[in-house]
């Protein structure tokens, strides 16, 4: 058993290839693999370059350029990533029935590139202001980095804003003495932003979301079509493909934040767009290398193509509406209960949770009626693992939201005192560790399998869940050594990503492979949909969890780093121990799950 079971291991949400299309061309064209793999490898690498480069900037862009508060920032980010993992369900279906994989990939690439270019147009940064005891005051920001300070002018007097440990706010005079103290809850910071540029932001994210739905599932399908049924090179081929994904993300998560810091947000998003255009060019101008691969179904014609393209464009305002609805979300009052919470969820949350909560028991009920006893038991095992999968990705995907903000606010980003990296660049740690450790895990699993001691799927899932929890607890431990500036050393954050990467390698590579093995053959496609839905739900819930770690900001900067650090430590401690506990629970029920799996490993 290798680390990457098949194309499903490409990343969470990758769709298995269509293995019914077989070819014997180019068997030894590229490192012993079909030569077409090189073209698809680089196509995916540049697409992931664009996506992860954009993602490395998104949270900081929302918080620092548009001056959204932490709650709104986490909500938009969580909603975006949720839709990114949901739209491939529709895009894969359209490709299978009408367009074919190749045309879908080309269209998706163009739409994503346009989305990234749209994000370049953010206009002027939002102007910060504060509402103090019901009265609005303009905020001026002076200095940069750690020397940055925020001020309000009251009766002609320039007062510095300083957050206190008890969450009150002090307004300080020029000599540092407190002129006025504002009670907790009576100081609200926000930003005056252009509605036009906010609309452009959401349109750009909507285009990326829909384009991803066409691109992401179908590039994997084309890779799967390179290999004959039973070809032993398939696992290794997708391992190479997987490395392309992480190589692309590794490069972009360094380059895009660098350009954004050096030249402006537009430069970072522009580089992501260029990467996406490179991906499109590789598939569009393939020189005939991909002829016969990813073509439209034999019984489909081109008559519906422009109707589908037009429908995709018309879906942009629909997704824009979902984002707008997310931004207007207001938390329910305390004590409203779970039903009150669900009732007040944004439309996207209602759709995701409703579909998941209804779909899982409905499929199990159908399996009970239509399947054999063994099939029903295997389906129960699959659903249990899917539910645990939601927990894992909910916590793992804090990387792009709360952990990025933690890096920006409470991490010393100096590298051995030689130079400093930006908060957005810290996300490259995960990709680096995956590239470095994937071969190690492949060797490890193979060695254990030969000795008959390789852990089963539930045990690997349990290790992954415990691992993601231990990662947070490792960072919490490191917070004890924060300096007087309330910043944790960079290597504690790197250690978290190392532990999380190890945890990812215990879950991600085996997830969809598990679904194909445990599902009733007649509904394996539907079960794939449930898997995608579980990841989408996890992305949404990840945004909700990130909201819990919200701290007060003025002009995009926190007013008290001690309060900020304590808030993050409290949240990371809670979710860390919860994850460890859920991992232990899965380990305890691993044996009965193994019996329900009837020999599936």
């Amino acid at each position: 058993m290798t680390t990457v079971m098949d194309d499903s291991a490409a990343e969470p949400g990758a769709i298995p290839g269509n293995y019914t299309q077989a070819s014997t061309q180019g068997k030894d064209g590229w490192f012993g693999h079909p030569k077409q793999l090189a073209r698809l490898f680089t196509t995916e690498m540049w697409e992931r370059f664009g996506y992860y480069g954009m993602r490395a900037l998104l949270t900081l862009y929302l918080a620092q350029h548009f001056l959204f508060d932490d709650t709104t920032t986490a909500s938009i980010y969580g909603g975006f990533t949720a839709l990114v993992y949901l739209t491939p369900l529709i895009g894969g279906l359209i490709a299978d029935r009408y367009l074919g994989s190749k045309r879908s990939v080309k269209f998706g690439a163009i739409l994503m590139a346009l989305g990234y270019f749209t994000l370049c147009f953010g206009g002027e940064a939002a102007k910060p202001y504060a509402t103090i005891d019901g009265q609005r005051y303009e905020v001026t920001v002076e200095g940069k980095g750690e020397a940055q300070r925020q001020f309000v002018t009251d009766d002609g007097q320039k007062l510095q804003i300083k957050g206190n440990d008890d969450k009150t706010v002090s307004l300080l005079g020029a000599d540092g003495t407190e002129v006025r103290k504002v009670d907790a809850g009576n100081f609200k910071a926000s930003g005056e932003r252009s509605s036009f540029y906010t609309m452009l932001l959401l349109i750009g994210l909507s285009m990326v979301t829909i384009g991803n739905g066409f691109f992401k599932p179908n590039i994997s399908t084309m890779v799967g079509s390179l290999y004959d049924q039973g070809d032993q090179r398939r696992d290794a081929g997708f391992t190479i493909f997987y490395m392309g994904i992480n190589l692309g993300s590794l490069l972009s998560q360094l380059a895009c934040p660098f350009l954004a810091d050096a030249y402006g947000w537009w430069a970072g998003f522009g580089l992501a767009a260029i990467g996406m255009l490179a991906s499109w060019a590789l598939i569009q101008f393939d020189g005939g290398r991909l002829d016969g691969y990813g073509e439209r179904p034999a019984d489909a014609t081109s008559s519906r193509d422009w109707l589908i393209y037009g429908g995709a464009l018309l879906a942009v305002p629909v997704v824009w509406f979902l984002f707008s609805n997310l931004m207007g979300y207001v938390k329910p009052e305390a004590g409203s209960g779970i039903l009150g919470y669900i009732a007040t969820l944004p439309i996207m949350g209602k759709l995701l949770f409703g579909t998941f909560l209804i779909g899982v028991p409905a499929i199990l009920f159908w399996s009970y009626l239509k399947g054999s006893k063994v099939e029903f038991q295997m389906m129960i095992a699959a659903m249990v693992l899917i539910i645990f999968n939601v927990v894992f990705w909910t916590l793992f995907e804090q990387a792009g939201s709360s952990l990025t903000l933690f890096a920006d606010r409470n991490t010393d980003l100096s590298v051995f005192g030689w130079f400093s990296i930006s908060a957005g660049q810290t996300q490259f740690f995960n990709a680096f560790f995956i590239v470095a450790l994937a071969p190690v895990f492949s060797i490890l699993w193979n060695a254990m399998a030969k000795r008959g001691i390789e852990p089963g799927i539930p045990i690997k899932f349990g290790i992954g869940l415990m691992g993601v929890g231990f990662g947070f607890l490792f960072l919490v431990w490191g917070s004890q050594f924060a300096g007087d500036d309330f910043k944790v050393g960079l290597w504690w954050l790197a250690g978290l990503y190392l532990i999380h990467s190890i945890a990812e390698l215990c879950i991600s590579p085996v997830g969809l492979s598990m679904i194909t093995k445990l599902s009733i053959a007649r509904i394996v496609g539907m079960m794939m949909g449930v898997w995608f839905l579980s990841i989408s739900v996890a992305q949404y819930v990840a945004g909700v969890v990130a909201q819990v770690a919200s701290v007060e900001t003025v002009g995009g900067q926190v007013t008290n780093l001690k309060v900020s650090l304590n808030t993050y430590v409290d949240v990371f401690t809670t979710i860390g121990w919860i994850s460890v506990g859920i991992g232990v629970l899965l380990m305890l029920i691993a044996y009965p799950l193994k019996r329900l799996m009837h020999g599936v490993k």
Side-chain angles (χ1 to χ4, degrees):
M1 188 179 197
T2 60
T3 302
V4 180
M5 299 291 297
D6 55 18
D7 48 323
S8 65
E11 64 175 6
I15 292 181
N18 177 7
Y19 302 150
T20 60
Q21 179 179 352
S23 173
T24 58
Q25 298 179 15
K27 288 232 177 235
D28 300 307
W30 194 57
F31 297 104
H33 289 269
K35 59 185 179 182
Q36 293 83 1
L37 181 62
R39 176 64 53 145
L40 297 177
F41 169 92
T42 50
T43 299
E44 176 72 353
M45 183 189 74
W46 282 110
E47 186 274 329
R48 291 291 89 180
F49 180 97
Y51 174 75
Y52 280 105
M54 178 277 301
R55 203 184 79 157
L57 300 176
L58 183 56
T59 293
L60 298 173
Y61 187 52
L62 296 172
Q64 296 178 3
H65 181 79
F66 284 94
L67 299 185
F68 290 121
D69 60 29
D70 283 8
T71 298
T72 303
T73 294
S75 182
I76 295 174
Y77 180 86
F80 169 71
T81 53
L83 289 178
V84 160
Y85 283 98
L86 189 63
T87 51
L89 286 173
I90 301 173
L93 181 64
I94 290 173
D96 288 344
R97 295 191 177 183
Y98 305 110
L99 292 180
S101 297
K102 195 188 309 183
R103 286 178 179 83
S104 294
V105 166
K106 292 177 184 178
F107 177 68
I110 292 173
L111 202 54
M112 291 176 77
L114 289 174
Y116 295 147
F117 275 125
T118 303
L119 291 177
C120 293
F121 300 97
E124 293 185 6
K127 297 179 180 179
Y129 69 87
T131 302
I132 304 174
D133 293 328
Q135 183 176 350
R136 173 169 166 160
Y137 296 83
E138 300 304 314
V139 173
T140 57
V141 181
E142 298 180 3
K144 292 184 178 181
E146 295 183 8
Q148 188 175 92
R149 300 290 184 268
Q150 300 87 21
F151 300 88
V152 296
T153 300
D154 187 13
D155 291 332
Q157 187 177 10
K158 185 178 177 181
L159 304 175
Q160 181 184 338
I161 301 169
K162 179 181 178 295
N164 300 317
D165 295 352
D166 59 359
K167 297 186 178 182
T168 61
V169 175
S170 293
L171 303 180
L172 309 179
D175 58 356
T177 59
E178 183 179 80
V179 175
R180 180 179 176 184
K181 189 169 187 177
V182 184
D183 293 336
N186 289 342
F187 183 99
K188 299 291 183 182
S190 188
E192 183 179 328
R193 60 191 71 88
S194 165
S195 58
F196 173 75
Y197 288 112
T198 302
M199 179 185 68
L200 278 186
L201 164 74
L202 300 184
I203 288 176
L205 293 178
S206 300
M207 295 171 76
V208 173
T209 297
I210 296 171
N212 177 82
F214 280 90
F215 188 103
K216 191 63 206 156
N218 297 305
I219 190 74
S220 294
T221 298
M222 293 180 70
V223 174
S225 71
L226 299 179
Y227 298 92
D228 296 328
Q229 184 71 29
D231 192 326
Q232 296 298 315
R233 301 172 300 163
R234 187 190 302 275
D235 284 0
F238 277 107
T239 301
I240 294 172
F241 188 66
Y242 182 57
M243 297 296 282
I245 290 171
N246 286 282
L247 181 61
S249 63
L250 174 64
L251 296 174
S252 67
Q253 288 176 122
L254 291 174
C256 290
F258 171 79
L259 289 181
D261 288 340
Y263 302 103
W265 297 107
W266 66 269
F269 290 122
L271 182 60
I274 291 172
M276 195 66 247
L277 286 178
S279 179
W280 169 79
L282 284 165
I283 202 83
Q284 175 67 29
F285 305 109
D286 63 359
R289 295 176 181 85
L290 297 175
D291 287 351
Y293 295 92
E295 305 297 346
R296 71 170 75 251
D299 58 347
T301 65
S302 61
S303 60
R304 291 189 176 93
D305 287 7
W306 288 105
L307 182 63
I308 292 171
Y309 299 149
L313 294 177
L314 289 175
V316 170
V318 175
V319 179
W320 171 86
F321 169 74
L322 292 176
F323 282 130
S324 299
N325 183 255
L326 272 177
M327 290 174 59
Y329 173 64
V330 178
K331 292 181 180 179
E333 296 181 2
S336 58
I338 186 65
L339 293 179
Y341 173 77
I342 294 176
T344 58
L345 280 175
I347 294 174
M348 189 185 302
K350 288 186 175 77
L351 289 174
L352 289 172
F353 283 113
T355 304
F356 191 71
L357 293 175
I358 294 172
V360 169
I363 292 175
L364 284 178
F365 182 68
W366 180 91
S367 303
Y368 176 77
L369 295 177
K370 302 295 184 180
S372 66
K373 179 179 179 181
V374 169
E375 288 176 326
F376 176 61
Q377 290 177 345
M378 292 171 69
M379 288 287 289
I380 291 177
M383 289 300 189
V384 170
L385 292 173
I386 283 174
I387 292 171
F388 280 103
N389 181 64
V390 172
V391 178
F392 175 83
W393 290 110
T394 292
L395 302 183
F396 183 88
E397 287 297 336
Q398 294 303 304
S401 52
S402 63
L403 285 173
T404 296
L405 293 176
F406 178 85
D408 181 56
R409 297 163 178 173
N410 291 107
T411 302
D412 179 358
L413 298 173
S414 172
V415 180
F416 299 121
W418 300 338
F419 61 92
S420 295
I421 64 174
S422 68
Q425 288 177 317
T426 59
Q427 292 190 46
F428 97 98
F429 282 123
N430 176 239
F432 172 78
F433 288 132
I434 290 294
V435 170
L437 294 176
V440 176
F441 269 72
S442 179
I443 295 171
L444 174 65
W445 295 144
N446 280 329
M448 296 180 74
K450 289 178 181 178
R451 291 169 174 77
I453 57 173
E454 182 184 12
I457 293 173
I459 295 295
K460 288 181 178 178
F461 269 55
I463 293 172
L465 279 163
M466 293 175 66
V468 76
F470 283 133
F472 283 110
L473 295 177
F474 179 80
L475 185 60
V476 169
W477 180 35
S479 68
Q480 301 177 52
F481 306 101
D484 295 336
D485 57 357
F486 304 106
K487 293 193 174 185
V488 176
L490 176 64
W491 304 113
W492 292 102
L493 186 62
L496 172 142
Y497 281 117
L498 171 62
I499 299 170
H500 280 193
S501 299
I502 293 172
E504 179 186 2
L505 287 168
C506 291
I507 286 186
S508 180
V510 300
L512 282 180
S513 179
M514 173 271 295
I515 293 295
T516 61
K517 294 174 182 178
L518 293 177
S519 300
I520 298 175
R522 286 168 287 174
I523 59 168
V524 67
M526 185 181 297
M527 286 297 289
M528 288 296 179
V530 174
W531 176 265
F532 276 108
L533 182 60
S534 75
I535 296 174
S536 185
V537 169
Q539 301 290 334
Y540 180 84
V541 179
V544 175
V545 172
Q547 292 176 24
V548 178
S550 298
V551 295
E552 188 68 54
T553 60
V554 177
Q557 300 294 322
V558 297
T559 57
N560 188 307
L561 289 174
K562 180 180 179 182
V563 172
S564 173
L565 180 62
N566 290 340
T567 300
Y568 285 119
V569 166
D570 289 345
V571 173
F572 293 162
T573 299
T574 300
I575 63 179
W577 282 117
I578 288 175
S579 184
V580 170
I582 293 175
V584 170
L585 173 64
L586 181 52
M587 300 280 270
L588 292 175
I589 65 172
Y591 179 72
L593 276 179
K594 182 179 179 181
R595 289 176 61 87
L596 293 174
M597 292 166 66
H598 292 279
V600 170
K601 297 181 179 179

